[in-house]
Amino acid sequence: MEIIASLKRNTSLVMIVLFCHQFSFAQTEINLDGRDSYIEKAMTQFDRGNWDEGKKTVDLGLKRYPFDSDLKMLSGKYHHHKGQNEKARYDLVKALQINPDNVDAKQILVNVELETERYSSAICYVNELLEVNPYWRGLWRKKIELYKLQGNFVEANRLQERISQIYPDDKKLKEDYIYAMELDAAAKRKEGDIDGAIEISKKLLKENPEKVENYILMANDYLKAGDLNTALSYLDRGLNSFPENSELINKKAGVLAQQKKYDELLPFLQKKGYAQQYSYYLMEAARYSKNQQTHILYGKIFEENPGNEEAFDNIYNYTVAVQQYDEALRLIKVQRRVNGDSKELYLKELAVYEMMGNDSKSIALTKRLFERYPNDYDVQNAYVKVIFEEAKYKMSEKRYAEAIDDWYKVIQYGDEDYVYVARNSIFNAHVELGEYLDALNVLNELIANDKDNKDFYLKRADLYYRQKNFNMALSAYENILDQTEGNQRNRFLSGYGNLSTLIIKDLVEVFRYDQALQYAERWLEQDPKNELALRYAINLSYQTNSLEKAYLYAESGNRAHPNSTFFIVKMAEITAENPENYEEVYNLLLEKVSADPYNQDLINAYAQITEDYSHQLIRGERSPDAIENLDNALRYAPNNNTLKYTKGIAYEKIKNYDSAYYYQSFYVPSPQEEKQFNHYLYYLYYKSLDNEIGLHHLRSRPGDIDVINPISAISYSHIDNNNTYSGRINYAGRPPGKGYQIQAAWMREWNYKTTTLIDAAWANQFFPTISINASIFRDITKLKEVNLELGIGYRILDTVSSNANLGNRNMFNFVVGATKVIDDFRINARLNNFILDGRYLYNLTVNGRYTLWSPKHYVTAMAGVGSSPDVELLDYQVYDGFSALNTMVGAGFTYMFAKNVSFGVLGTWYNYRNNDGIYRNHHNIFLNLNVAF
């Protein structure tokens, strides 16, 4: 056919099976759950470094349990270890589709996405893991690392600070946090962002006050900012902890000298024993004192006339210059009392508080200033700065609703830069609150003001995705794709693929396969050669029963990725969905595996089609062909227990029970199935033995007479190839004496459809004197595997101890029977036709049997009607009821106590009319014990 021809044209390619639960083949006939054994064995092999052996174990498990999430996770783990990240991602995503809570799969996916630089996707999986275990410290570190690799240092630093606060006793987290801040602070200094460096230095000093360098860096940052007084305060803090540190001493001396505070500097140097420096600065102090008479004179003027603004300005500037901030505040208070409040006084007071580092006073005063002078440009700027910082703090504390109010104030009074940051922050706050409609409105305003900013379109796509508006989410992304080209478009195309993957995953989790397929096809419209999109399209087409479409996507994938055998294998798997194609696909895969005999994935694919094709051959009475194919497959997969088990089924079909027992014993049942499976193995073992001894006992009792007529027997059977030879001795003791019957039988299987049985017996009394029977059994395929029986028989009945009034003791019989097996039920019907004493007699018997665990474990029920007793009772001659209505019902069971011992019980109840015209009952119990060896 054309499909197979298309496959054969790709003979140069190596076929690799990447599992997918939609395409797993039918498993063996017994559904046993032993997945834990596969998982534990594979994990042990991986831990010991036996990766290839472990992968074989995983593949064996997947053949039997294609929907097991842990087995798929282990397959992905193997591919990740081998550096096959595309295969690993596919397997791990499949594992999560089956079980979204598979933590191990998500962990490995984080590493896969990290190694393939798909940082956004990795962060998504980290977030999912943190939802399960929010206290997983190593995962928080991984998330920080991903943010840094993504270039999002702001978020990385924010997160590092937060988890350091959450786990204050974790030394490793603290070290990482401190190191990151040190790098960030250095970067800020290099960029000239002194305010940013100061903020980070404060945090560094708070986290690590035992490091002297932090005090020095803090002081240097404030010196660069021109805040000498605050720099001096941090140097003093450092000297409290490290009083003899020379670098701190020299730094403080330099700051005091710069402030001209010689009255503090000289005693400090003298105390520390720095004589040379003391002498130098003593001379500098002498020179400085000559020029300090002006502020003293203005001070006297101000004391006499506090309203003199010239004196106030001069003395105020002096006190600020020498960092006498408390004195500066006193001067402002005096000036305010004399001249009243003014904006200038408030601004001077604010400047002093800021130089003192008194943030609470600065913030309160700034807000009071804004209330009084809301239209003043400088006041507005100061107010916006305060509100901006408050909003940032509230965002960090997740007080998003309060922060939104502050951000709108920033928008109202701030400049363009502040407004830009505020709008973005309002958007983020609404997103965090789950207020997606409000967030969308804000985002639309941002886009209207900056239509070329593609980040806004990405945020819009993410926002629509959060709202489960998948169509609009992709449309927003497609707007970006339409505006870009070349490498830039390829980068955005990767993000488009990530978003499409999330959408498809969400839809698959709620079984909306049709919609998921539509989004996979939409993905392919933008990126026709994307391998993951093609795989999704194949899988979802299969899931929606669109096999033709699945095949077309597999063909497209093969053309786009000729070096990937995944798509060729999928083409073969889809073709094999039609059992009529098993043979062709089998031959194709045999050709491939012969050319590449060490490709484990290819071997797995070949083993799977061999198993399916073999079951088809077994059902078609071609077990020898199935065995030949299975032998070929086992050459490449000698440890594949599923193939061995299937081979055992084939041997059982042709009644080669010793081989059937051997190969089926490779199956490893689950604890729930172990009892049933062991019973079935007992049966196969029993059937594999060549000899059998049977002990039989019949207890027969008329319903109206308290008399028991027992019959006992011993039998022996021997199997020789297709022949079974049997001998039996029956014994009965009755008032007239003892009766014996000696019987011999020969059964032969001429082929798998035809069997014959011939038996003959002689007896002295109580049994037919002569008994000869011959039957042929034939399976009729056209009648849906019904087994037909045709037989003839001859008996000379014993009338010495019988009440039968017969003129002729010769009885001829002709039997027609049919047997049909339907699953665990077996139904047999036999019509016996007799000629006795010139009269035609008949007996129809129907027997139903239900198999429990094996053909040697069953319960049975039967019923019969006729003008003669059942033929078995005729052989035993336990009663005479000829030419009269005979009815019978019965029930029993057979059970195997051990693998070579079986026991059976059967009870029957007959009702018949005797020669006197009276209806009588007759009860029988048959007991038998069989031992095979």
Side-chain angles (χ1 to χ4, degrees):
M1 62 187 303
E2 182 179 348
I3 292 174
I4 296 300
S6 174
L7 290 174
K8 288 183 176 179
R9 285 194 293 269
N10 293 280
T11 55
S12 62
L13 295 176
V14 178
M15 301 184 67
I16 300 175
V17 175
L18 297 178
F19 69 81
C20 173
H21 74 268
Q22 292 93 336
F23 298 103
S24 60
F25 290 109
Q27 301 300 299
T28 55
E29 297 173 0
I30 297 178
N31 181 22
L32 304 178
D33 191 350
R35 65 192 71 196
D36 288 344
S37 62
Y38 289 106
I39 294 169
E40 292 173 4
K41 182 178 180 181
M43 290 176 66
T44 300
Q45 290 170 325
F46 285 172
D47 291 341
R48 293 175 178 173
N50 299 328
W51 288 92
D52 292 333
E53 291 300 319
K55 183 59 165 59
K56 292 178 182 178
T57 302
V58 171
D59 290 339
L60 287 174
L62 285 170
K63 295 304 178 184
R64 192 171 299 168
Y65 310 108
F67 302 114
D68 187 85
S69 178
D70 288 331
L71 285 171
K72 291 185 181 292
M73 176 276 294
L74 289 173
S75 181
K77 183 176 182 179
Y78 169 82
H79 288 305
H80 175 247
H81 174 75
K82 293 294 184 178
Q84 301 165 349
N85 284 325
E86 290 299 320
K87 293 181 180 179
R89 180 185 296 110
Y90 180 73
D91 287 352
L92 294 167
V93 169
K94 296 306 298 181
L96 291 178
Q97 288 176 351
I98 297 170
N99 178 16
D101 298 326
N102 191 324
V103 173
D104 291 332
K106 292 177 182 178
Q107 282 184 262
I108 302 170
L109 268 171
V110 170
N111 294 327
V112 170
E113 303 297 37
L114 172 61
E115 292 168 12
T116 55
E117 300 182 3
R118 298 174 61 171
Y119 304 126
S120 297
S121 180
I123 291 171
C124 290
Y125 289 118
V126 170
N127 289 336
E128 291 182 17
L129 288 168
L130 288 172
E131 289 177 5
V132 177
N133 187 355
Y135 303 104
W136 192 343
R137 303 184 188 186
L139 209 54
W140 286 109
R141 285 196 289 266
K142 178 68 72 174
K143 187 173 181 180
I144 293 167
E145 177 188 356
L146 289 167
Y147 276 130
K148 290 179 179 179
L149 290 170
Q150 198 180 37
N152 191 347
F153 293 101
V154 173
E155 188 63 27
N157 293 338
R158 185 196 68 79
L159 185 59
Q160 198 146 32
E161 178 181 4
R162 183 154 184 79
I163 65 169
S164 179
Q165 294 168 351
I166 295 173
Y167 305 108
D169 298 328
D170 191 309
K171 293 183 178 180
K172 176 61 177 174
L173 284 175
K174 188 172 184 179
E175 289 174 1
D176 292 345
Y177 175 49
I178 290 173
Y179 180 68
M181 285 196 295
E182 289 174 347
L183 293 178
D184 197 19
K188 297 259 183 216
R189 294 185 188 103
K190 187 175 181 180
E191 295 169 1
D193 184 2
I194 301 303
D195 291 338
I198 288 173
E199 292 301 317
I200 297 172
S201 294
K202 286 180 180 178
K203 295 177 182 177
L204 272 171
L205 187 58
K206 180 180 179 181
E207 294 294 332
N208 192 9
E210 302 303 320
K211 188 175 181 180
V212 67
E213 288 81 1
N214 288 338
Y215 295 98
I216 296 169
L217 290 172
M218 189 81 252
N220 288 339
D221 289 337
Y222 273 107
L223 289 174
K224 290 179 182 178
D227 191 346
L228 278 67
N229 193 54
T230 303
L232 190 61
S233 68
Y234 280 104
L235 290 170
D236 285 336
R237 286 175 58 184
L239 286 167
N240 286 334
S241 300
F242 308 97
E244 302 303 324
N245 185 274
S246 60
E247 192 170 357
L248 286 172
I249 293 172
N250 290 328
K251 180 67 70 172
K252 179 176 180 179
V255 174
L256 289 173
Q258 186 176 353
Q259 292 179 304
K260 311 301 182 184
K261 293 183 177 181
Y262 296 111
D263 54 339
E264 293 183 38
L265 173 60
L266 294 174
F268 171 72
L269 291 174
Q270 195 172 29
K271 179 181 179 182
K272 294 297 181 181
Y274 281 54
Q276 184 175 357
Q277 292 181 343
Y278 176 82
S279 299
Y280 172 78
Y281 284 117
L282 182 61
M283 181 61 70
E284 290 294 315
R287 294 176 184 143
Y288 175 74
S289 63
K290 295 180 180 179
N291 302 317
Q292 296 306 304
Q293 300 303 317
T294 304
H295 80 274
I296 296 174
L297 296 175
Y298 274 114
K300 292 180 179 180
I301 295 172
F302 183 77
E303 291 299 329
E304 293 178 1
N305 184 12
N308 189 305
E309 292 188 2
E310 181 181 350
F312 168 74
D313 288 340
N314 186 278
I315 194 65
Y316 167 80
N317 290 335
Y318 170 77
T319 56
V320 169
V322 297
Q323 299 184 6
Q324 296 177 3
Y325 300 127
D326 291 334
E327 177 62 16
L329 290 174
R330 187 190 72 80
L331 295 174
I332 293 171
K333 185 177 182 181
V334 171
Q335 179 76 356
R336 181 177 287 133
R337 188 170 58 245
V338 174
N339 294 336
D341 278 334
S342 68
K343 182 181 70 172
E344 287 72 18
L345 284 178
Y346 276 117
L347 290 174
K348 281 183 168 60
E349 185 179 5
L350 177 60
V352 172
Y353 282 130
E354 288 178 346
M355 287 184 283
M356 293 175 68
N358 193 331
D359 293 337
S360 59
K361 289 283 188 180
S362 299
I363 292 171
L365 188 56
T366 300
K367 291 181 178 179
R368 197 185 317 156
L369 264 171
F370 183 75
E371 291 175 0
R372 291 175 176 249
Y373 309 103
N375 298 318
D376 184 271
Y377 178 79
D378 293 330
V379 172
Q380 279 188 1
N381 285 342
Y383 177 73
V384 167
K385 184 178 179 181
V386 168
I387 299 301
F388 183 86
E389 292 301 324
E390 287 186 349
K392 283 171 58 179
Y393 175 74
K394 290 174 182 177
M395 291 287 286
S396 68
E397 292 295 308
K398 297 189 176 183
R399 293 156 54 190
Y400 300 115
E402 297 177 43
I404 289 173
D405 293 337
D406 289 341
W407 289 123
Y408 275 114
K409 293 177 183 177
V410 172
I411 291 174
Q412 183 177 1
Y413 300 107
D415 59 19
E416 184 177 339
D417 292 336
Y418 276 119
V419 169
Y420 179 84
V421 175
R423 290 195 188 279
N424 277 278
S425 299
I426 291 171
F427 166 79
N428 293 331
H430 281 308
V431 171
E432 294 294 336
L433 290 170
E435 299 170 347
Y436 299 130
L437 185 59
D438 292 330
L440 185 60
N441 292 333
V442 174
L443 188 59
N444 289 335
E445 293 178 7
L446 289 168
I447 293 174
N449 294 327
D450 189 2
K451 294 181 179 179
D452 295 329
N453 192 327
K454 295 178 177 55
D455 287 339
F456 291 152
Y457 292 96
L458 296 179
K459 290 182 179 180
R460 178 186 278 176
D462 176 69
L463 198 56
Y464 281 130
Y465 170 74
R466 290 170 181 263
Q467 293 177 291
K468 302 301 180 183
N469 190 341
F470 300 145
N471 178 56
M472 292 300 293
L474 289 180
S475 295
Y477 230 116
E478 287 161 1
N479 285 336
I480 303 174
L481 296 177
D482 292 339
Q483 299 171 20
T484 56
E485 58 185 16
N487 292 333
Q488 187 181 26
R489 187 179 191 277
N490 290 335
R491 287 194 295 272
F492 284 115
L493 202 56
S494 175
Y496 183 83
N498 292 337
L499 178 60
S500 298
T501 300
L502 292 174
I503 291 172
I504 294 170
K505 176 185 173 184
D506 288 348
L507 293 172
V508 168
E509 285 179 352
V510 294
F511 308 105
R512 291 160 61 183
Y513 299 124
D514 289 325
Q515 293 184 42
L517 176 58
Q518 292 174 9
Y519 284 107
E521 292 172 335
R522 182 170 176 176
W523 184 1
L524 286 170
E525 290 177 6
Q526 296 293 334
D527 194 359
K529 296 183 179 181
N530 188 284
E531 186 171 0
L532 183 58
L534 287 164
R535 292 186 180 189
Y536 271 125
I538 295 168
N539 298 342
L540 292 167
S541 296
Y542 187 90
Q543 199 74 8
T544 56
N545 296 318
S546 302
L547 295 183
E548 293 183 4
K549 185 181 289 187
Y551 187 84
L552 290 175
Y553 285 123
E555 276 192 322
S556 298
N558 185 41
R559 288 193 298 269
H561 306 278
N563 294 325
S564 172
T565 57
F566 170 83
F567 298 103
I568 299 176
V569 171
K570 289 307 163 192
M571 292 163 70
E573 289 179 345
I574 296 167
T575 304
E577 283 296 307
N578 184 352
E580 294 180 359
N581 298 329
Y582 278 171
E583 182 176 4
E584 294 178 87
V585 175
Y586 168 82
N587 290 329
L588 174 66
L589 292 177
L590 175 58
E591 178 183 346
K592 296 293 184 182
V593 79
S594 298
D596 190 7
Y598 302 107
N599 187 315
Q600 188 58 51
D601 292 327
L602 182 57
I603 290 171
N604 292 339
Y606 172 57
Q608 183 64 68
I609 188 61
T610 301
E611 179 190 344
D612 294 330
Y613 184 36
S614 295
H615 280 295
Q616 185 184 68
L617 292 174
I618 293 169
R619 290 191 295 270
E621 305 296 344
R622 295 174 58 190
S623 291
D625 293 336
I627 292 171
E628 181 180 354
N629 291 343
L630 289 162
D631 284 337
N632 285 335
L634 286 168
R635 286 170 48 212
Y636 300 101
N639 297 320
N640 190 314
N641 287 340
T642 302
L643 292 178
K644 293 176 183 178
Y645 177 76
T646 306
K647 187 176 178 181
I649 295 174
Y651 274 121
E652 181 184 357
K653 188 71 172 180
I654 59 176
K655 301 181 180 179
N656 190 338
Y657 294 107
D658 55 347
S659 296
Y661 173 79
Y662 173 75
Y663 285 106
Q664 290 194 36
S665 66
F666 283 97
Y667 205 102
V668 181
S670 68
Q672 295 85 351
E673 299 288 348
E674 186 172 4
K675 180 179 178 181
Q676 176 181 349
F677 186 72
N678 286 339
H679 278 305
Y680 199 84
L681 286 182
Y682 286 173
Y683 162 72
L684 292 177
Y685 179 80
Y686 190 101
K687 296 290 288 184
S688 70
L689 300 174
D690 295 334
N691 301 283
E692 181 184 65
I693 291 178
L695 300 176
H696 314 272
H697 184 68
L698 165 64
R699 298 183 66 82
S700 178
R701 178 183 182 277
D704 53 352
I705 303 174
D706 190 13
V707 176
I708 295 177
N709 295 319
I711 297 176
S712 298
I714 184 170
S715 65
Y716 169 75
S717 298
H718 174 71
I719 300 173
D720 183 12
N721 295 326
N722 294 326
N723 299 291
T724 301
Y725 304 100
S726 303
R728 179 180 176 122
I729 300 175
N730 296 310
Y731 167 79
R734 297 175 186 173
K738 299 177 180 179
Y740 300 92
Q741 184 185 49
I742 301 174
Q743 185 180 23
W746 170 48
M747 183 173 69
R748 178 175 176 80
E749 296 178 9
W750 299 93
N751 53 50
Y752 69 90
K753 286 187 176 183
T754 306
T755 303
T756 58
L757 174 63
I758 300 173
D759 68 82
W762 170 87
N764 63 339
Q765 62 178 344
F766 306 148
F767 302 96
T769 305
I770 299 294
S771 176
I772 302 174
N773 298 282
S775 294
I776 182 170
F777 303 87
R778 175 79 175 179
D779 287 337
I780 308 300
T781 306
K782 293 183 179 180
L783 295 179
K784 296 184 178 180
E785 299 183 356
V786 171
N787 182 276
L788 291 183
E789 174 192 0
L790 296 177
I792 58 174
Y794 170 71
R795 290 167 180 78
I796 300 177
L797 300 180
D798 174 42
T799 58
V800 175
S801 58
S802 172
N803 295 325
N805 185 15
L806 299 176
N808 187 341
R809 294 190 300 144
N810 296 303
M811 172 183 276
F812 299 90
N813 76 294
F814 173 72
V815 62
V816 177
T819 302
K820 174 67 176 178
V821 177
I822 305 174
D823 296 328
D824 294 327
F825 291 92
R826 176 183 180 272
I827 302 173
N828 171 261
R830 300 181 83 230
L831 176 62
N832 264 291
N833 304 272
F834 305 100
I835 302 296
L836 177 64
D837 206 13
R839 293 172 294 175
Y840 169 74
L841 306 173
Y842 74 93
N843 183 276
L844 175 64
T845 303
V846 178
N847 181 309
R849 178 185 299 180
Y850 176 71
T851 300
L852 299 175
W853 303 301
S854 77
K856 284 289 185 181
H857 299 82
Y858 62 85
V859 293
T860 184
M862 60 185 65
V865 64
S867 57
S868 169
D870 182 42
V871 67
E872 188 169 4
L873 289 189
L874 289 176
D875 288 335
Y876 294 145
Q877 291 195 206
V878 294
Y879 79 86
D880 304 307
F882 300 112
S883 301
L885 180 64
N886 285 260
T887 58
M888 179 272 291
V889 292
F893 70 89
T894 293
Y895 184 82
M896 290 188 69
F897 287 105
K899 62 182 180 180
N900 66 330
V901 180
S902 68
F903 174 74
V905 177
L906 175 66
T908 60
W909 171 29
Y910 287 83
N911 182 268
Y912 67 97
R913 189 180 67 181
N914 65 9
N915 293 333
D916 298 330
I918 299 173
Y919 284 92
R920 302 178 65 182
N921 295 318
H922 206 95
H923 306 285
N924 304 291
I925 295 179
F926 297 84
L927 305 173
N928 66 280
L929 178 69
N930 297 283
V931 179
F933 58 95

